[in-house]
Each structure stands twice: as structure tokens, then as C-alpha cells.
Amino acid sequence: MKSADARVPQYRPEDAARYRAAGFWGTRTIADELRRAAQATPDASAVVSVEGTLTYRQLDERADRIAAGLHGLGLRPGEPVLFQVNNRYEAILGWYAVLKAGLVPVCTLAQHRKYEIEQISKLTGAVAHLVEAKTPKFDLVEFALDHAREHLTLRHVLAIGDHDENDARARRIETLGADIAPAVARTLVDDIQAQIHAEDVAVFQLSGGTTGVPKLIPRFHAEYWYNAKAWAAALGWDASARVAHLIPIIHNAGIVCALHAAHSVGATVVLGTADMAASAPLLARERVTDILVGHGHYVAAPEVLPSLKGSLKRVILSGAKPSDALFDSVEALGVKVGQLFGMGEGLLTMSRWDAPELARRTTVGTPLSSLDEMKILDPNGLTELPDGTVGELTCKGPYTTPGYFDAQEHNKRAFTPDGFYRTGDLAKIVDIEGTRHLSIEGRIKDLINRGGEKINAEEVELLLGRHPDILEAAVIAMPDERLGERACAYLVSRHEPLSMEQVRQHLETQGLAKFKWPERLEWRKGLPRSNVNKVDKKAMREDIKRLLETEAASR
Ligand code: AMP
């Protein structure tokens, strides 16, 4: 999508000029970067999953042909394509094929349902929907077809995965373009890429978001690839790195810190799934050197990581503060241990390997780029706070988005007048041995972080409020040993309290993704309120903590 599109926010010209002058923003598209990698190490493995392996040459050539097939279907550069796929090598084939066709991947999750997909589809005007076929429990192909019937911009349902040859409901992407000669496909891809500017929109990432309506983050070719290259450099990767990724690859962290970063240095991505123990044999067989352990894997990690001893060199913990016990158990494996803090909007910070242990253990390190800028502000205000004081983290830099897509009014609140993104995270800067490190201290945004997946409280409250018997709803985070947090709803009923089953049925009818459904209901006569009559979520969070502690003590 052209950066000149009025819905696409712009970097400030003076900032863009600095990022270019520093050599951070290159002139190639992401598809061209893959081509270069494929030419440098054609026979190295680019991606491995339990379903199979692709070398760089195979990935590049097959993605060329699929891209030509997509073009043959009438899909044109700049048009958005919804992605709802899990971690398997064909998803990567789809990713690069879509980029090679000049199309723009929209990174939704396989778990999203009607409520999310409808809004995102409308916002982007998506023209195609790529789903994984034959997922257990839910038929994404049928879902996509239903959706396409109501959304006239959607012209094609495409599928990857265990798709029956004779299932004509969706185009199978793996065989698309198989009748096109590789050289013809390559020429077409080259022609398409020549029309794309490195500062055009490459990808839409989905924001964890703080409003009831999903927000899309445009990521541009040059800055997105730079982000990945900077990650690979900071970790010290070269072509020998074998990078395991268990959390959804389509998330920003998956694309930047695993897929693109590995491919920027000719390394291999090994795709596991959310089930860390079940993925362990693949990771061990593939002799992975690196793994990003998300919040949802903090409990399993001490059990599983020892099986990777021998090949494992670096472990990055991310999503929440690790306990000392977790940090110690990883360090005991004799590997490098650090932390990552980051967001789809851009900024990534990480522990440097040469930083003192205290810094790696207790902070999320320092920003990835020398041109990243961070300020800790008075929450919701503009006063900058001194180091050591907790405030709202704001940031700007060569891979932090200048704004959300088609959201001018929201952007005025989400960014400071001088262009810093207000993260909604509470943080402070701590000086450790002369270096300023970032420490995350909480958040002001109204989210539940369920094992890394963000649940937007306002969105769920809105949908709960659509039930005729629910008078008021407030959704908060309750602590959870395995996932860090789960959603709990405090509710006021017009009549009798509803059962969990009735609430779930209601949310299913509303089309809300299941991972966002509250996992505990607390019915009250009224919600606690502050002295200015605002719903008091702090009081509810304290209440649920007390209730959980009492329940645990009585067990
Ligand atoms: P997402 O864009 O979905 O990756 O979510 C980004 C948000 O996840 C951040 O703004 C934080 O609220 C949270 N987050 C990410 N990494 C960490 C971390 N290491 N510690 C605490 N919170 C984190």
C-alpha cells in the first residue's frame, strides 16, 4: 500500500531523513530481501516445522510461483490479505508469496472470530482471506466463506495446510501457480517489486489496543526489515543460528524476532506450537540455538529447556518479569539469558549479553537501536519524569510506527505532540553500572495479558453489555500461575445472575474470540466506584486477589 495513501500516517520528514542517513532504512522491499538471502545461502534451511522443511531456494522459488498465481487470480499490489494461520512452514510460504505479489498481509490470529475479523476486514478493505484448513474444532475455511459472503471487498478464500485436493471451497495456496514456469514467475515478481517503494506499507500488525475497536499498525518495508536486522545483530546471530519460535509466528515478535531476523542473516527458523512440551522433540532434533520464551511458557520452560541442552545458546524471556527461580533455572543450563520488552507498534528493548547479571535479571535492557528515543512521562500528561521515577513509557524511533491506520482522532491521543507513542506501560529508568536500563513496572492501559495474548477490557465489556440481562460489566485481570493473567468479569444483573454457560453462549453469538471470554464471573449488586463515581477497577483487582488467596488457603 502506497505511503501516500491519506489513511497511512507519515514519519516526520526530519526523522525519516535521519533514519535514512544513518543507513538504517534501506531501499529494498521485504520480498527483495528474501531474494538476496536465497541467493546467498540457497541450500540452507529457511524454515522447519513438523509438516516439513524448505530451503531458501525452495522458499524463494515456490513463493514466486504462488505470487504469480495470486496475481493470476486478479489480486493487485497494495491490496490487503487477512492471515489466519498457525505455526507451520506453509504459513511462511504464504507470507512471502503474498509479499512477493505486492499484497499486504494483515496479521490477525487463527483464534479470531466474526467480531474481530469483520471490523479488521472492513477497516482494511481486505480482498483475500488466507486461512489454515482442517484446524481441529473450528472450520476456518467455512468461517472465511461465510465472512466473504457479507464482505463484498473479499474476493478470494485461500487455504494452507491439510486441505483435501478435491475440496473446492478454497484455493489451496501450496499448488497455486504450479503451472507457471519459475522464470516467468520470477520476472513477474521482479516487475511488481520494482513498483513498490521501500517506505510503502508492507504489513499490518494488530495492536494489543486499548479501545473497543481494533487498531491496525502499518509497518513499512524498510523500517520493518531494519527492525529484524537490528534484532539479529543484537543477539549476535549468523547463518548458523537455529531459531525456535513457539508463540504465533504471525505476531509482531514472531515476524520480527524470529522470521525476518533469522532470514536477514541466512539462519533457520524452527516453528513449534503453543504446546512447549509437545514441541520439544522437534526443537531437540533440529538442534535449536535460540528460543524466545513467552509469558505463557514460563511454567513449562524449566521442565522443557534442559532437553535442548547441548545446542541451546541463548534464551530470551519475554512478556512479564521472570521470577528469580525461572531466571536461575535457565542460567543453570549454561546459556545466555536475557529479556525482551516490545510491542507491535515498534520499540523493542533487550538485555545486552555483556550487561551485568543484575541488569539482565531485573530489567528489560536497553533499546535496540541507537536512534530509539524513550521518555518517561507523567501518566497521560506531558511532563518528563527523572530517572528512577515510575511513569508512562513513551517512545519514538526508526521502527516505531508514526500512527495507526485510518485513525486520525485516536492518533492525537495515542501520540504526544512531538510524535512519541504513548505505550500505556508504566516504567522507570534504572542506572546499573553507568547504563540506563528500562524496568517495566505495570501498566495504565486497560488490558489483560493472557499468556502474551492481549484482551482489551473495553471490547469485552461492550459485548457483555449487549446481553439484555447484564446491567453493568467491568473486566479485569486476575492473577494466574500458568498464563500470568486471565480475564475476570465483575457483573451486575438486571434480574438473576447468569450462569457461566449463558455468558459464554452470549459471547459466542457476538463472535468474540474465545481466548477473550472471561474465565470467572463475580456478580455484585453494584460495581465499586471511586469518589468521582468512576468504576474502580483497582478495588476489583484487590478483591479478586483476596478471593483467590482465600480459596487457595482453604484448599
Ligand atoms: P504486543 O503489541 O501484543 O506485543 O503487546 C505489547 C505489550 O505487551 C507491551 O506494551 C506491554 O504491555 C506488554 N509486554 C511486552 N513485553 C513485556 C515484558 N517483557 N514485560 C512486561 N510487559 C510486556
Side-chain angles (χ1 to χ4, degrees), residues 118-361:
E118 271 191 0
Q119 294 185 72
I120 297 165
S121 177
K122 222 184 215 148
L123 183 59
T124 54
V127 297
H129 195 164
L130 174 65
V131 297
E132 181 165 333
K134 291 237 173 121
T135 44
K137 294 189 196 155
F138 189 78
D139 186 350
L140 277 168
V141 173
E142 207 49 51
F143 171 68
L145 289 168
D146 275 350
H147 175 68
R149 271 179 218 114
E150 289 168 25
H151 285 257
L152 298 180
T153 58
L154 268 159
R155 310 199 293 270
H156 294 282
V157 174
L158 309 163
I160 60 160
D162 307 322
H163 191 51
D164 296 335
E165 283 297 338
N166 50 6
D167 183 349
R169 294 178 306 156
R171 286 284 182 148
R172 191 161 184 255
I173 213 170
E174 293 91 330
T175 51
L176 203 59
D179 55 340
I180 302 170
V184 172
R186 172 167 293 202
T187 305
L188 176 66
V189 167
D190 287 346
D191 289 347
I192 291 172
Q193 295 301 314
Q195 306 299 315
I196 300 174
H197 194 280
E199 292 169 29
D200 285 342
V201 177
V203 169
F204 283 113
Q205 274 292 346
L206 189 59
S207 167
T210 51
T211 64
V213 185
K215 293 281 175 297
L216 289 167
I217 308 158
R219 301 296 306 251
F220 307 82
H221 290 270
E223 60 86 12
Y224 212 32
W225 196 259
Y226 163 67
N227 192 177
K229 254 177 37 179
W231 178 257
L235 271 92
W237 288 353
D238 58 22
S240 68
R242 301 183 67 80
V243 181
H245 202 76
L246 305 178
I247 37 197
I249 191 70
I250 219 78
H251 270 175
N252 185 58
I255 298 295
V256 173
C257 304
L259 187 68
H260 288 174
H263 289 177
S264 75
V265 293
T268 305
V269 179
V270 181
L271 292 177
T273 66
D275 188 338
M276 194 181 203
S279 301
L282 172 75
L283 307 191
R285 186 193 82 196
E286 291 300 324
R287 300 193 54 74
V288 299
T289 56
D290 289 80
I291 188 165
L292 180 69
V293 176
H295 198 180
H297 290 130
Y298 278 10
V299 173
E303 297 278 313
V304 176
L305 293 181
S307 69
L308 309 178
K309 222 175 147 182
S311 66
L312 201 60
K313 292 184 181 162
R314 293 161 290 247
V315 176
I316 296 284
L317 304 168
S318 177
K321 260 194 202 317
S323 65
D324 277 339
L326 173 61
F327 195 90
D328 290 342
S329 76
V330 182
E331 200 149 65
L333 299 172
V335 299
K336 290 177 172 160
V337 197
Q339 298 188 45
L340 156 71
F341 164 82
M343 61 200 72
E345 282 79 359
L347 179 72
L348 297 184
T349 72
M350 65 161 297
S351 317
R352 304 296 158 154
W353 300 131
D354 56 359
E357 198 221 82
L358 179 69
R360 287 184 296 109
R361 182 186 283 273

Side-chain angles (χ1 to χ4, degrees), residues 93-94 102 118 122 158 266 325 380 430 458 470 483 502 532 548:
L93 200 51
E118 271 191 0
K122 222 184 215 148
L158 309 163
N380 301 318
V430 282
E458 189 184 321
I470 296 179
L483 294 168
Q502 286 170 309
V532 287
L548 290 169

Side-chain angles (χ1 to χ4, degrees), residues 495-515:
H495 309 289
E496 288 301 300
L498 305 171
S499 66
M500 179 60 104
E501 196 41 42
Q502 286 170 309
V503 171
R504 291 177 145 231
Q505 268 172 14
H506 167 69
L507 292 176
E508 183 156 28
T509 316
Q510 296 296 316
L512 186 70
K514 199 168 177 180
F515 72 88

Side-chain angles (χ1 to χ4, degrees), residues 355-356 359 363-366 374 428-432 435-439:
T363 77
V364 292
T366 53
M374 298 191 303
K428 66 179 179 186
I429 304 287
V430 282
D431 185 314
I432 298 178
T435 301
R436 297 168 80 236
H437 288 84
L438 185 69
S439 173

Side-chain angles (χ1 to χ4, degrees), residues 85 103 317 357 449:
V85 294
L103 299 159
L317 304 168
E357 198 221 82
N449 187 348

